[in-house]
Amino acid sequence: MSVLLISGSPSAASRTVRLLDHLAGRLGRPATVLRLRDLPAEALLRGDTAHPELAGATAQVAAADTIVVATPIYKASYTGLLKAFLDVLPQGAFAGKTVVPIATGGTPAHLLAVDYALRPVLSVLGARHVTRGLFVLDTQIEPLAGELLPRIDALLEEVPLGAAA
């Protein structure tokens, strides 16, 4: 079973990326991390699916069995970077896959963004199963401890990520 971790953060020094990196270390198996910020902006915004880097990213999605989609929440929604990438994926790109939505935000007011903004678009892309999401306050990420670690462990137990295939 292959796992793809997608970072929708436009920032190089992102708490969302740090959370994904931590999650990758806890999987107990190799995982590929796709940082959308590293894709060529012009090709992404133009939807140039023939561009080699964009085609490679789409191929990573197609090859994965489980996909973790992580994004910071801005203005009660996922990032425009993530939206641009999801828009270039073919309809049904998540068909037959388990998808795990994760969001980070600066205030608990964004808690419902996972369910009301992110989950619907993941479902439209045909995910076999969109798990319960994980919303993490920025203040819980550094240092990564406290109540967050048991929440991450519970998520990993629910999703077929941790056991090697």
Side-chain angles (χ1 to χ4, degrees), residues 4 6 32-36 38-40 43-44 48-64 85 88-90:
L4 177 64
I6 298 174
T32 302
V33 178
L34 173 59
R35 298 173 200 265
L36 299 181
D38 295 336
L39 295 175
L44 188 60
D48 182 4
T49 56
H51 189 283
E53 289 181 62
L54 205 48
T58 302
Q60 287 180 312
V61 169
F85 181 69
V88 300
L89 291 177

Side-chain angles (χ1 to χ4, degrees), residues 74-96:
Y74 300 137
K75 297 183 173 110
S77 188
Y78 50 91
T79 64
L81 177 61
L82 180 58
K83 172 67 170 146
F85 181 69
L86 295 175
D87 283 349
V88 300
L89 291 177
Q91 190 66 30
F94 291 164

Side-chain angles (χ1 to χ4, degrees), residues 5-163:
L5 306 172
I6 298 174
S7 169
S9 177
S11 173
S14 163
R15 286 180 286 271
T16 303
V17 171
R18 282 194 280 286
L19 179 62
L20 260 189
D21 288 343
H22 176 78
L23 182 65
R26 294 180 74 90
L27 291 177
R29 65 180 314 103
T32 302
V33 178
L34 173 59
R35 298 173 200 265
L36 299 181
R37 73 175 307 280
D38 295 336
L39 295 175
E42 184 175 347
L44 188 60
L45 291 174
R46 294 183 63 169
D48 182 4
T49 56
H51 189 283
E53 289 181 62
L54 205 48
T58 302
Q60 287 180 312
V61 169
D65 298 306
T66 302
I67 299 174
V68 177
V69 177
T71 181
I73 299 298
Y74 300 137
K75 297 183 173 110
S77 188
Y78 50 91
T79 64
L81 177 61
L82 180 58
K83 172 67 170 146
F85 181 69
L86 295 175
D87 283 349
V88 300
L89 291 177
Q91 190 66 30
F94 291 164
K97 302 175 189 310
T98 297
V99 181
V100 181
I102 296 178
T104 60
T107 172
H110 294 305
L111 176 68
L112 295 177
V114 172
D115 291 326
Y116 291 105
L118 191 53
R119 183 180 306 280
V121 73
L122 300 176
S123 295
V124 165
L125 286 168
R128 176 180 52 85
H129 175 61
V130 179
T131 70
R132 67 183 171 90
L134 179 65
F135 178 80
V136 180
L137 287 171
D138 290 346
T139 57
Q140 295 175 307
I141 297 171
E142 292 182 34
L144 194 61
E147 71 177 49
L148 181 57
L149 295 178
R151 291 174 55 213
I152 290 172
D153 290 341
L155 183 64
L156 292 178
E157 288 174 12
E158 179 183 324
V159 180
L161 294 173

